[in-house]
């Protein structure tokens, strides 16, 4: 039994397992900065802190607004949500959202010293789109924009601007790495949407899987991982052979997980695919980071 609004309830609501997805883009941005002799410990730590707090903030926001919209019903297949389970009251969750939003803003202000005033719009966009994802009159996640937002806010924004606050520039390597990272992390969203396709259709959540069907969702999942691995061949152009070779270890894991995903097809058993996908993403992130550093 979890006591309402207890520390344990807040930890569960923060969904600490999702913090891996926040850490990997920043890790890749730091690895790129190291590659171009621009790595700096202090802004790196601040970038990690901002990413973690924003991920928790987004988790709180999604938890609350999916609950208010009635999306988290009894037939939910994914991990349990705090508001729908009664672990956190809606009013307390609103307070939690306010606190994490303010904390993210404070950390963002600290990053201004390193990144300059030009990163202000980026920080504001992070906060605004964390709300727009599931809140407001046109929640983007309910209209098929989730995958695009992952590419932007788990790819170009955290990878690119982690690099930018240290190197004060942008290059092709940053663009390619941002795209790779966004695609890899989008496999996680694709599994969620593949698993929840029937419930999402009932709730009016028109994800790409709902729009185009389960088979298309499976193909998209597979191609996201494959394309990310193929894009790693770009790093030959900057003499980083290990950044090409090491991430290919992920490919074997991704193919095996895709076959397993196709075999399971539907139901709560797909949560094992969610776990495997998270593991695969972590392995990929570590391998590419190591390849960029070597």
């Amino acid at each position: 039994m979890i006591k309402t609004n207890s520390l344990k309830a807040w930890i569960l609501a923060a969904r600490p397992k999702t913090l891996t997805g926040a850490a990997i883009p920043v890790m890749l941005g730091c690895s790129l900065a190291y590659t171009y002799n621009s790595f700096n410990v202090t802004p790196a730590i601040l970038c990690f802190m901002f990413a973690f707090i924003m991920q928790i903030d987004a988790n709180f926001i999604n938890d609350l607004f999916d609950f208010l919209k009635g999306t988290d019903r009894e037939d939910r297949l994914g991990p349990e949500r705090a508001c729908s389970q009664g672990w956190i009251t809606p009013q307390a969750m609103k307070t939690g959202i306010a606190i994490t939003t303010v904390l993210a803003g404070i950390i963002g202000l600290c990053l201004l010293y390193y990144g300059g005033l030009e990163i202000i719009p980026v920080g504001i966009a992070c906060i605004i789109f964390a709300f727009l994802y599931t809140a407001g009159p046109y929640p983007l996640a309910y209209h098929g924009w989730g995958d695009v937002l992952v590419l932007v806010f788990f790819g170009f924004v955290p990878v690119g601007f982690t690099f930018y606050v240290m190197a004060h520039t942008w290059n092709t390597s940053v663009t390619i790495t941002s795209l790779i990272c966004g695609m890899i992390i989008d496999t996680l969203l694709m599994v969620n949407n593949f698993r929840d396709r029937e419930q999402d259709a009932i709730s009016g959540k028109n994800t790409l899987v709902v729009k185009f069907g389960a088979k298309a969702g499976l193909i998209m999942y597979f191609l996201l991982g494959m394309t990310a691995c193929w894009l790693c061949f770009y790093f030959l152009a900057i003499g980083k052979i290990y950044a090409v070779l090491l991430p290919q270890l992920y490919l074997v894991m991704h193919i095996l997980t895709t076959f397993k995903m196709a075999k399971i097809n539907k139901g709560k058993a797909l949560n094992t695919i969610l776990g495997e996908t998270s593991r695969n993403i972590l392995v990929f992130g570590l391998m590419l980071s190591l390849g960029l550093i070597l």
Side-chain angles (χ1 to χ4, degrees):
M1 186 68 179
I2 297 170
K3 187 177 179 181
T4 302
N5 297 336
S6 64
L7 176 61
K8 184 177 180 180
W10 281 109
I11 291 171
L12 289 170
R15 296 164 62 195
K17 290 182 180 179
T18 65
L19 297 183
T20 301
I24 289 169
V26 177
M27 182 171 64
L28 288 172
C30 290
S31 299
L32 277 173
Y34 182 87
T35 298
Y36 287 92
N37 302 311
S38 301
F39 180 73
N40 189 332
V41 173
T42 303
I45 292 172
L46 289 171
C47 284
F48 274 111
M49 290 173 64
F50 182 81
F52 289 154
I53 296 297
M54 276 308 308
Q55 181 65 57
I56 293 170
D57 192 33
N59 289 341
F60 287 171
I61 293 166
N62 294 344
D63 195 306
L64 175 64
F65 285 96
D66 278 344
F67 169 72
L68 294 177
K69 292 177 188 297
T71 306
D72 291 338
R73 303 186 309 272
E74 290 184 0
D75 61 349
R76 176 177 170 81
L77 300 176
E80 294 172 327
R81 293 282 190 88
C83 285
S84 64
Q85 294 298 315
W87 299 338
I88 304 289
T89 62
Q91 188 57 48
M93 188 61 86
K94 289 177 183 177
T95 302
I97 290 168
I99 291 171
T100 49
T101 301
V102 170
L103 282 175
I106 292 170
I107 296 168
L109 288 174
C110 294
L111 278 167
L112 290 182
Y113 176 79
Y114 298 95
L117 295 178
E118 59 267 35
I119 69 168
I120 291 178
V122 180
I124 292 173
C126 288
I127 293 171
I128 290 174
F129 278 93
F131 283 92
L132 293 182
Y133 188 72
T134 50
Y138 188 85
L140 296 170
Y142 286 70
H143 293 86
W145 289 100
D147 301 274
V148 174
L149 292 178
V150 168
L151 286 173
V152 174
F153 290 100
F154 285 88
F156 289 93
V157 168
V159 176
F161 285 92
T162 294
F163 179 83
Y164 185 84
V165 297
M166 290 184 260
H168 298 284
T169 187
W170 191 293
N171 57 41
T172 305
S173 296
V174 177
T175 301
I176 296 296
T177 306
S178 298
L179 184 58
I180 288 170
C181 186
M183 296 178 82
I184 283 292
I185 293 180
D186 194 35
T187 60
L188 203 59
L189 179 63
M190 198 60 69
V191 175
N192 274 317
N193 293 343
F194 183 84
R195 180 198 61 212
D196 296 337
R197 59 191 185 274
E198 294 178 356
Q199 289 73 25
D200 285 345
I202 294 169
S203 302
K205 191 173 182 178
N206 293 312
T207 64
L208 292 182
V209 181
V210 171
K211 287 182 178 181
F212 299 111
K215 185 177 180 180
L218 189 65
I219 292 170
M220 285 187 284
Y221 173 85
F222 179 66
L223 290 179
L224 282 166
M226 289 286 288
T227 305
C229 282
W230 292 337
L231 284 172
C232 288
F233 280 90
Y234 161 80
F235 298 114
L236 286 172
I238 60 170
K240 290 289 181 178
I241 184 66
Y242 290 111
V244 178
L245 296 178
L246 292 178
Q248 305 309 314
L249 296 173
Y250 158 90
L251 201 53
V252 177
M253 301 166 69
H254 179 65
I255 291 170
L256 292 173
T257 301
T258 303
F259 278 119
K260 191 180 291 187
M261 180 174 165
K263 185 176 181 180
I264 295 172
N265 188 41
K266 62 169 60 179
K268 280 196 172 185
L270 284 168
N271 285 326
T272 61
I273 302 301
L274 192 66
E276 286 192 18
T277 301
S278 295
R279 177 204 64 195
N280 297 351
I281 290 171
L282 178 60
V283 169
F284 183 92
L286 290 171
M287 291 298 100
L288 181 53
S289 294
L290 182 60
L292 289 169
I293 291 170
L294 290 176

